[in-house]
Amino acid sequence: MGVQEQLQQIAGSPDPKQKAELYKQLLGSLVQAASEADLNAFVDHMLSDEVPLVVSRQLLATFAQETSKLPAEVHKAAATHALNRISPRGVSFLDQSTLIRERLAEQLEKEEA
């Protein structure tokens, strides 16, 4: 089952607590796989109307923390995509975008050292 199908299946789950946990588990597996396209799909889904704002904020914060585990190129690409997608809704995701920016800055500083 592809990432899009997994996201749709989780979105259809009736239990909000279970839904959040399933999203976290999926994010963990996506970080392990380090697939830029799958991580981008995850971010896009989190910012869609299918995911309640409370859940998407929590999961984007987790995404920001988990990106530091990614290979440098995947981390930079996924973080940049996330920031570009969050930008139009910046007020709703201010804390999350700040966290993503900080992690991205740390990654870029590592590369310069």
Side-chain angles (χ1 to χ4, degrees), residues 43-53 56-57 60 83-94 96-97:
V43 168
D44 292 345
H45 183 76
M46 287 300 109
L47 295 170
S48 73
D49 292 336
E50 293 180 67
V51 182
L53 190 58
S56 59
R57 283 180 176 158
L60 286 172
L83 290 171
N84 289 336
R85 294 284 288 133
I86 289 172
S87 182
R89 298 177 63 188
V91 175
S92 299
F93 297 100
L94 191 58
Q96 293 75 13
S97 64

Side-chain angles (χ1 to χ4, degrees), residues 30-46:
L30 296 178
V31 168
Q32 280 188 322
S35 166
E36 180 184 335
D38 290 346
L39 289 165
N40 290 347
F42 182 85
V43 168
D44 292 345
H45 183 76
M46 287 300 109

